[in-house]
Amino acid sequence: MQTLWIDMLAIVATILYAAFAKLSLKAYKEQSQKLKYLEELKESQRNIIQKFSEISEAKSGETGQHIKRVSEYSAILAAKCGLSENEVEMISTASMMHDVGKLLIPREIIEKPGVLLTR
């Protein structure tokens, strides 16, 4: 009778362990899917920012890869300051937006030689 009790306890423990393992595996898969989605979202955001940068550079022909250089310099400085790889990447991406305001300024003003006069 005592052997039967121990066998039953072992069976119940095995079932509980299997159920816990199944839940853990399901949680792991869900977490992996969320991380994959976040990486895809991050890449999409970076692509959008790059497209805005390309439009901005196309509007002002004098820049000559200025936005790309600013992004690279920002990443180098951030890394030298000891920031994490993720922070360096965020700064590099964000720095590409520094000239986005040019999109709303007429080309004649952006490319005007000499000093702009205010009235």
Side-chain angles (χ1 to χ4, degrees):
M1 186 68 163
Q2 190 171 2
T3 311
L4 182 61
W5 174 250
I6 293 173
D7 289 343
M8 291 298 286
L9 189 59
I11 291 170
V12 169
T14 303
I15 291 170
L16 288 175
Y17 177 77
F20 179 74
K22 184 176 180 179
L23 285 174
S24 294
L25 184 59
K26 183 179 178 183
Y28 172 77
K29 286 179 181 179
E30 288 175 358
Q31 186 69 15
S32 294
Q33 287 174 341
K34 288 177 186 177
L35 289 174
K36 181 181 176 187
Y37 171 76
L38 288 174
E39 281 300 316
E40 290 172 359
L41 179 63
K42 191 168 139 182
E43 186 63 28
S44 294
Q45 289 173 338
R46 184 169 177 82
N47 288 338
I48 290 168
I49 291 170
Q50 284 175 331
K51 294 302 178 191
F52 271 126
S53 298
E54 290 171 12
I55 293 167
S56 182
E57 282 197 339
K59 187 170 184 177
S60 176
E62 297 178 6
T63 58
Q65 300 288 318
H66 165 73
I67 293 173
K68 183 177 180 183
R69 284 193 313 275
V70 168
S71 175
E72 290 173 2
Y73 291 149
S74 298
I76 291 168
L77 290 171
K80 291 289 183 185
C81 287
L83 299 178
S84 71
E85 187 176 318
N86 188 44
E87 291 169 320
V88 169
E89 186 179 335
M90 286 191 319
I91 287 173
S92 174
T93 301
S95 69
M96 287 190 268
M97 297 295 288
H98 78 276
D99 274 345
V100 76
K102 285 184 178 180
L103 294 174
L104 299 176
I105 300 172
R107 175 173 262 168
E108 300 79 37
I109 294 174
I110 291 175
E111 295 180 356
K112 180 184 181 296
V115 180
L116 288 174
L117 299 176
T118 57
R119 295 179 195 203

